[in-house]
Amino acid sequence: MKGFPVICILAIFSFCYFSLFPGSKWRFYCPGCDQRIIHPHTIIHPSHHRLVNIPREDKTNISHILFGIGGTASMWSRRRHYCELWWKPNVTRGFVWLDNEPALGDEPWPQTSPPYKVSADTARFKYTSWYGSRSAVRIARIVKENFQLGLDNVRWFVMGDDDTVFFTENLVNVLNKYDYKQMYYIGGISESVEQDVEHSYTMGYGGAGFAITLPAELVRILDGCIDRYAELYGSDQKIGGCMSEIGVPITKELGFHQLDIRGSPYGLLSAHPLAPLVSLHHLDYLQPLFPGMDRVASIRKLMNAYKYDSGRALQQSFCYDLTRNWSVSVSWGYTVQLYPFLVRAKDLNTPLQTFLTWRTWSQEPFTFNTRVLRMEPCERPVIFYFDGAQELGNGNTVTWYRRPQSMQWKQCDRNNFAAAYMVKSFNVSATYLNSRLWTKAPRRQCCEIMGGSDHQDGHVRVRIRGCNRWESVTPP
Ligand SMILES: *[C@@H]1O[C@H](CO)[C@@H](O)[C@H](O)[C@H]1NC(C)=O
Ligand SMILES: *[C@@H]1O[C@H](CO)[C@@H](O)[C@H](O)[C@H]1NC(C)=O
Ligand SMILES: *[C@@H]1O[C@H](CO)[C@@H](O)[C@H](O)[C@H]1NC(C)=O
C-alpha cells in the first residue's frame, strides 16, 4: 500500500470519528509549520534498565523532582490548561519560566499553574539557526536557572514544554528504576524519522520531556555549549550537545511521547509499547483522543482512567474468543478493538497508522512499524472507547468501553461483523498493576473473555491478568 494517498490516512480515521461531529475543529492546516519544523519517542530501542536495589526510605517520590517548564508570557493563558491537568499545587515542585513578566493586570497569577519565574536575558548568546527562534537559548538555560535556585532535596531536574502533559506517578516510577546518585539523561526521541535525521537520534526531545540527575557538570559548561551549538535549532539539541561533551548518552524510555505526528494518535496509543505512560505532547496539533470531545476534555478523560491504576494506563492486552473467532485488543483506559476474525499477535501489537509524519505529512518512515488502516469496513476493527471506571476493592478495578454513538462509517455486511456490531460495551476487569512489575523482565499481560459466547445483553466481559505459564496468544 505504498501508493496509499496521504489524505486517506487522515480521512480514513477522521471519517468514522470526526465527520460525526460537525463542530469538530479538525482541518487540513498546519499550525506548527511556522514553529518548530521538528521533533519523540521510540518503540524500537529497548530501554536501558539500570536497576539498583533502592532501600525503601530512599525511594524517589514526587517531591524530589524539580520541573522546569518552558513558557512565554503571551502564550501562557492559552497553554496553561495542559499544564494544569497534571500540576498539583503544593505537591509538584517547579516553575514555568517566562520570557517576560506576565501582563496580569489586577489578576493574580493562577493558583492552579506552576509558579512562574522570568528567565535571565540571553542577548549575549549566539543563535544562528536560520529557521528557528532565539527562545531556544532561553529554554536551554532553564535547567541551569532551576539548578541555581539551590532548592533542597532535588534529585531529578525534569524539563518540559508548556504543552507537555506529564503522568507524574508513572514518571516517578520510571525514575525510580535509576540511581539518582549517578548521572542520567532520560527521555525519548521523535516518532518521525525525518525529525530524528534533521535534529538528532541521541537527545531527549524537549516536548516529550526529559530528566537529568546531578546537573552540576551540565550547568558548568551550558553557556559555552549554547554558543558552540549556535546553529542548532532547538533548546533540547543544545542540551544534547552539552550532554555529549560530558559523555552521558540518552537513556530512552518508551513512555515519553514527543508525538511528532499529524492526524490522530489513536493507532499509537491503542498499541502502546510495554512501558508506563510518562508524557504526551503536541496535543493541539493532533485530533482529540476521544471522538466528540475537545482536546483538553479528552486528556481529562484519559486521566480519569489513569487515576484508578496509573501503571496500567494504555497497557495493551489481547486475547481470542475461539468460540466465535474473535480477537480483542484492549488498551487499558483508552480503547478496545474487536476484530471478528483471528488476528496474529504481532499484528495486534503493531500500531494502526492513523497519522502522518510531522514535518512533511508523509506516510513514512517512523521509528516503529505501522499497519495500514484499510478503507474496507470488513478489514477494520470495531472500536470502543473508554467510558468509565470503578474500583471494586482489593485492588480490583473495572473499566468500560462503548462504541461512539451514531457510527457513520460504512459497516461491513458479513455475518461475523453483524455479531460484533451487536456488542454495546466491553467491561474490563483488572488488578492494580504493581509498579514493581516494571522493574522485572517485561511481559505483556494476558486476558480472557468471560462467560463464553453468551453475551445476549451486548456487554462483553474481559479479565486482564498475568499470563500463566505456557500461555501465549496463539491461534489453534
Ligand atoms: C518523599 O521522601 C522523603 C524522604 O526522602 C520524605 O521525607 C517525604 O515525606 C516524601 N514525600 C512524599 C510526598 O511522599
Ligand atoms: C499551598 O500552600 C500555601 C502555603 O502553605 C497555601 O497558602 C495555599 O493555599 C496552598 N495551595 C493549595 C492549592 O493547596
Ligand atoms: C474459526 O476458524 C477456524 C479456522 O478458520 C474454523 O475452522 C472454525 O470453524 C471457525 N469457528 C467459528 C466458530 O467460526
Side-chain angles (χ1 to χ4, degrees), residues 158-179:
V158 173
M159 292 290 307
D161 279 358
D162 55 1
D163 62 341
T164 306
V165 173
F166 283 109
F167 293 80
T168 53
E169 289 77 7
N170 289 350
L171 173 65
V172 167
N173 280 331
V174 164
L175 297 183
N176 248 314
K177 294 188 348 192
Y178 303 92
D179 179 0

Side-chain angles (χ1 to χ4, degrees), residues 43-64:
I43 297 183
I44 50 173
H45 303 274
S47 45
H48 306 216
H49 296 265
R50 300 286 154 77
L51 302 182
V52 283
N53 285 324
I54 305 168
R56 184 172 273 276
E57 61 282 5
D58 211 20
K59 277 191 71 153
T60 290
N61 63 44
I62 189 70
S63 77
H64 297 119

Side-chain angles (χ1 to χ4, degrees), residues 256-274:
F256 288 84
H257 298 287
Q258 171 81 3
L259 294 185
D260 271 348
I261 53 175
R262 303 284 181 174
S264 171
Y266 178 84
L268 189 51
L269 303 185
S270 56
H272 193 268
L274 193 55

Side-chain angles (χ1 to χ4, degrees), residues 457-476:
D457 54 355
H459 304 291
V460 178
R461 289 184 299 126
V462 174
R463 170 87 195 149
I464 298 179
R465 49 163 178 72
C467 299
N468 297 321
R469 198 157 183 225
W470 308 118
E471 186 170 5
S472 59
V473 182
T474 303

Side-chain angles (χ1 to χ4, degrees), residues 192-218:
S192 288
V193 167
E194 63 195 20
Q195 296 293 96
D196 296 314
V197 169
E198 170 72 20
H199 300 288
S200 178
Y201 275 102
T202 55
M203 68 176 190
Y205 278 63
F210 55 85
I212 290 180
T213 43
L214 305 181
E217 296 203 25
L218 167 65

